[in-house]
Amino acid sequence: MRTVLRYLVLTALAAVVLFPIYITVVNSLLTPGQIAGRPPTLFPTHPQWHTYSTAWSQGHLGRYLLNSFLVTIVIVVGQVVTSIAAAYAFAFLEFPFRRTIFVLFLATMMVPFEITFFTNQATVVQLGWYDTYLALTVPFLATGFGAFLIRQSFLAMPGPLRDAAELDGAGHWRFMTKVAVPLARPSIAALAVFSFFGAFNQYLWPLIVTKDERLRTVQIGLRYLRSTQVDQINVTFAGTVLAALPLFVLLLLFQKHLVRGLTAGAVKG
Amino acid sequence: MTAPRRRSRRARRVREALLGYALVAPALVVFGVFVFYPFAKNIWLGLYRTPPFPGLPKRYAAFDQYERVLTSPEFRNSLRTTVVFVVATVPTGIILGLLMAMLAHQRLRGITIYRTIFSSTVATSIAVASVIFFTLLNPQVGLLTYWLGRQGEPSLLDDPRWALWAVSGVTIWQNLGLSFILMSAGLQGVPDDLLEAAEVDGAGAWSRLRNVVMPLLSPTIFFATIVGSILAFQAFGQIDLLTQGGPLKKTNVLVYAMYDAVFRQNNEGKAAVLSVALFAITLVLTLIQLRLLERRVTYER
């Protein structure tokens, strides 16, 4: 009896969480007439798959998704590389002002992009980067949080390991690529997932540094797809599904990593 | 004998230092240009009144502008709106996330499916969530409009009494996945027998939950509250997509007000003052977090 009750509560909550997603998928497969019809259609008996090709080609979702992926991959790779490099310096090298520089890295976490966005937009315009991929990526190629996270796992490494490597005559490059990075892999994966989500979901920044449709990312594409025109509303739904699909697939494939990444990411202040 | 060795040791130290600088340099350049410079510039911009027409010189106003903007009814409205939004979204999200996490923590057949469903909204961006609800709240064909019996009336998003709550609702939904994931991670740290004891039905279950499980979870909850609040103070996407700050400025949260000041009113000075205010809020929240973290560390010792 209690088990039944538990399943009931779980299912009720699951239904609430899933309902908006479910209805979006259903509506993407209905005709505008069916969507407006009352009582509402809650299951597509004659799915209209062509809404997806309309959204993909006429709604340019294909192009927008490609842009989002390009930008996201550049940002993720950039953040991982600069974070590993800086973390390595902080953890294994001696140099003047190391502590001060590390504090500067931490301080960047106190200045969210929502505070500096318009000044940065002016900078980008001045650099002549408005409406370029440079504007969409370069400001995000480093992260204080990432350097901090990876430094932590470098420091957790047993000291003798480092000494052994030095005795062995292994240079810094070899030690970094053969020992340090492989051992820090969980943190690196967590950082990659976290920055993937952050980069893919960006909204404010791409909105203010691009107006060329060919550079539009999928999040901004949604802004223009969100038409109030009722006769295309099924296409809006299809576009929304297409925009959300990549992260859903990632969620299903990498649930474990994702949870790690997001919980580590949340440690950010 | 010793001189060349000392020299070589020194050469090695110099080389190590150079390598260190080379490794931190790329990130430092990015931070310099896109974090520290704009931050300093914002503080400075706040001291200058933006001319009414572009091209005219900026006028130095010292702290006059800070005072004027921060005491204006418009700022008070934005601040109040943002605080209401934060208070409406963060605790609700955490409570719901905790509830889902506790339910999904049980050993039941098929529980993985529920876990996946509960995390699912983490895959929706704020834009996706906003567009979904924008369409569901469409005054003519929106399903929620129909179920709420509001057909023929303006959308909830155009109703000054409801707009902020509607935007908050969308935000809560979008954050459920992340909240669930965070709370589940927190629950992993609570010993199973304690949780089971709290689950036993009947008298005492609630008090055991409150007195035994909650204290163990409180670091996670505190932490989620602070980080969630910092992020909620930065809300922008849902406002831009759902209400554009309206109706009647009822959803004109801080970041949207900044955006509006720069890109619609051409008033950088005002936006700069607002950005400094938002920084102060972020700073206070971060300091609270550090304080709590410190206390937790001393507890553990």
Side-chain angles (χ1 to χ4, degrees):
Chain A
M1 196 48 217
R2 251 183 41 210
T3 318
V4 175
L5 191 71
R6 284 176 178 178
Y7 275 116
L8 273 178
V9 178
L10 278 167
T11 310
L13 264 173
V16 172
V17 173
L18 267 192
F19 170 75
I21 298 170
Y22 173 76
I23 209 70
T24 303
V25 175
V26 169
N27 282 358
S28 72
L29 298 171
L30 299 176
T31 63
Q34 282 174 310
I35 295 175
R38 297 291 177 256
T41 314
L42 295 176
F43 189 81
T45 35
H46 304 283
Q48 311 279 311
W49 295 106
H50 65 86
T51 54
Y52 281 88
S53 53
T54 311
W56 184 268
S57 51
Q58 282 172 41
H60 306 290
L61 257 285
R63 177 75 201 218
Y64 300 162
L65 277 168
L66 180 72
N67 283 335
S68 279
F69 272 109
L70 274 177
V71 168
T72 303
I73 286 165
V74 170
I75 292 177
V76 170
V77 171
Q79 290 197 349
V80 166
V81 169
T82 57
S83 296
I84 290 175
Y88 188 87
F90 290 135
F92 298 119
L93 302 175
E94 282 288 345
F95 51 95
F97 302 111
R98 187 176 69 172
R99 230 196 120 66
T100 317
I101 296 174
F102 183 61
V103 170
L104 280 181
F105 271 59
L106 292 184
T108 61
M109 290 195 245
M110 305 274 249
V111 188
F113 215 76
E114 281 72 11
I115 285 175
T116 50
F117 67 94
F118 56 97
T119 317
N120 281 334
Q121 196 253 7
T123 305
V124 158
V125 170
Q126 258 176 5
L127 290 169
W129 289 0
Y130 188 83
D131 256 341
T132 65
Y133 285 108
L134 287 175
L136 291 171
T137 51
V138 174
F140 307 102
L141 291 184
T143 145
F145 159 69
F148 173 75
L149 188 72
I150 294 175
R151 173 183 170 267
Q152 293 293 93
S153 61
F154 281 170
L155 287 179
M157 233 167 258
L161 208 62
R162 173 76 191 100
D163 300 338
E166 214 155 25
L167 280 178
D168 203 18
H172 284 293
W173 174 250
R174 267 194 57 196
F175 176 68
M176 188 203 279
T177 52
K178 295 269 148 54
V179 183
V181 167
L183 279 173
R185 211 156 28 186
S187 297
I188 294 170
L191 170 64
V193 170
F194 183 68
S195 54
F196 192 101
F197 269 70
F200 194 84
N201 290 341
Q202 274 204 59
Y203 183 81
L204 174 55
W205 182 247
L207 181 68
I208 58 174
V209 296
T210 56
K211 66 170 188 297
D212 187 343
E213 216 187 305
R214 285 167 303 172
L215 283 156
R216 200 172 277 168
T217 61
V218 75
Q219 311 296 333
I220 308 302
L222 282 175
R223 185 186 207 233
Y224 293 91
L225 205 68
R226 173 207 59 146
S227 68
T228 35
Q229 286 175 352
V230 174
D231 58 331
Q232 288 272 325
I233 204 157
N234 51 355
V235 177
T236 307
F237 279 113
T240 315
V241 173
L242 285 175
L245 208 55
L247 290 191
F248 270 105
V249 173
L250 283 180
L251 175 72
L252 292 178
L253 289 179
F254 301 108
Q255 205 169 354
K256 282 245 168 61
H257 287 282
L258 220 122
V259 170
R260 271 191 68 105
L262 292 175
T263 39
V267 181
K268 182 184 175 175
Chain B
M1 250 324 254
T2 52
R5 192 181 293 164
R6 201 179 305 143
R7 200 179 311 142
S8 84
R9 209 184 325 150
R10 231 185 102 192
R12 233 179 75 180
R13 277 204 358 227
V14 170
R15 267 211 312 269
E16 186 173 320
L18 285 178
L19 180 63
Y21 292 129
L23 289 176
V24 296
L28 265 188
V29 170
V30 173
F31 294 153
V33 179
F34 293 106
V35 180
F36 297 120
Y37 163 70
F39 177 66
K41 192 175 163 196
N42 276 4
I43 295 177
W44 174 83
L45 275 173
L47 301 171
Y48 286 82
R49 191 88 35 87
T50 312
F53 302 102
L56 295 174
K58 287 193 175 89
R59 200 159 55 77
Y60 182 67
F63 289 98
D64 215 38
Q65 180 163 242
Y66 277 96
E67 203 189 313
R68 257 217 342 206
V69 173
L70 295 180
T71 55
S72 67
E74 202 191 336
F75 171 73
R76 240 175 296 147
N77 172 58
S78 276
L79 187 63
R80 195 189 321 114
T81 306
T82 317
V83 170
V84 170
F85 174 78
V86 171
V87 173
T89 54
V90 178
T92 321
I94 288 173
I95 291 168
L96 288 173
L98 186 59
L99 181 67
M100 295 193 303
M102 306 259 295
L103 284 167
H105 200 71
Q106 311 170 82
R107 253 180 253 111
L108 284 175
R109 192 175 303 178
I111 200 71
T112 353
I113 299 169
Y114 288 102
R115 284 196 194 130
T116 306
I117 292 176
F118 289 163
S119 347
S120 66
T121 73
V122 89
T124 63
S125 65
I126 196 65
V128 166
S130 300
V131 174
I132 289 178
F133 279 92
F134 185 77
T135 329
L136 289 177
L137 288 169
N138 181 298
Q140 289 134 50
V141 301
L143 198 55
L144 283 178
T145 310
Y146 171 68
W147 280 346
L148 295 169
R150 285 182 63 97
Q151 268 177 324
E153 287 174 62
S155 159
L156 276 190
L157 298 167
D158 293 326
D159 186 329
R161 278 170 309 166
W162 287 105
L164 186 58
W165 305 114
V167 171
S168 304
V170 176
T171 309
I172 292 170
W173 180 79
Q174 195 248 338
N175 282 331
L176 278 182
L178 184 59
S179 185
F180 166 74
I181 288 174
L182 282 180
M183 292 302 142
S184 297
L187 272 187
Q188 305 283 315
V190 180
D192 273 350
D193 47 335
L194 282 182
L195 275 176
E196 270 155 31
E199 260 166 38
V200 175
D201 287 17
W206 173 243
S207 83
R208 243 168 312 189
L209 177 70
R210 222 182 53 189
N211 299 322
V212 182
V213 179
M214 281 304 155
L216 286 168
L217 264 183
S218 66
T220 311
I221 294 174
F222 270 136
F223 175 74
T225 309
I226 301 284
V227 175
S229 305
I230 292 176
L231 292 177
F233 268 105
Q234 298 166 6
F236 172 81
Q238 58 273 63
I239 308 297
D240 183 56
L241 286 161
L242 295 171
T243 60
Q244 289 86 48
L248 302 173
K249 304 259 175 207
K250 290 287 186 196
T251 59
N252 198 25
V253 297
L254 278 172
V255 176
Y256 197 81
M258 280 160 69
Y259 170 83
D260 200 54
V262 178
F263 296 107
R264 299 231 178 82
Q265 305 167 18
N266 255 316
N267 192 342
E268 263 192 322
K270 181 168 142 193
V273 174
L274 295 178
S275 80
V276 174
L278 181 58
F279 172 73
I281 293 168
T282 313
L283 187 69
V284 168
L285 288 170
T286 314
L287 291 178
I288 295 174
Q289 183 189 354
L290 290 178
R291 240 347 222 294
L292 291 172
L293 225 64
E294 237 166 53
R295 232 178 37 204
R296 201 190 333 161
V297 172
T298 43
Y299 275 151
E300 275 166 8
R301 267 180 197 155

